[in-house]
Amino acid sequence: MGFTVLNYSLLGLQNQNWYVTIKGSYQVRKIESLMSGDNSAGLNVPGLVTPYYTITFSLYYQSSRNSPVINNQNMSFNIQALPNPAVLYTSIYEYIKGQLDPYYLSNQQTLTFTDD
């Protein structure tokens, strides 16, 4: 599973089409962050534990789906709640598209993506 980004300049190279995938692997980690409590009245109120999840994966760029990997990079992002496992890959790929094109899903989108 992956997608093709059309007419994109990777690493300053001439614009061309790139196949982008995470090659099926990702890691989900639950992080619990302790927020400090309110001690303004001298009551020593304990802090709240605010959990979030970190999704970590390796991103691979290829000139086409079955060609050798040209570049790879590790990426991660945080979410407040886990999506349904059936849509986790979709969430990761939507995040990647948003990183490649800051205007993704807006009327100013500059790149064209083709999912496989």
Side-chain angles (χ1 to χ4, degrees), residues 32-92:
E32 297 200 16
S33 173
L34 183 62
M35 297 177 67
S36 61
D38 181 9
N39 197 22
S40 60
L43 299 175
N44 198 16
V45 177
L48 299 173
V49 175
T50 307
Y52 64 92
Y53 299 87
T54 297
I55 312 295
T56 305
F57 53 92
S58 292
L59 181 62
Y60 299 92
Y61 293 92
Q62 300 163 259
S63 59
S64 65
R65 185 176 188 164
N66 295 317
S67 65
V69 172
I70 294 172
N71 187 33
N72 69 310
Q73 67 186 91
N74 294 323
M75 295 182 82
S76 65
F77 65 99
N78 297 328
I79 54 176
Q80 294 298 315
L82 281 178
N84 179 325
V87 298
L88 191 52
Y89 271 107
T90 302
S91 299
I92 293 170

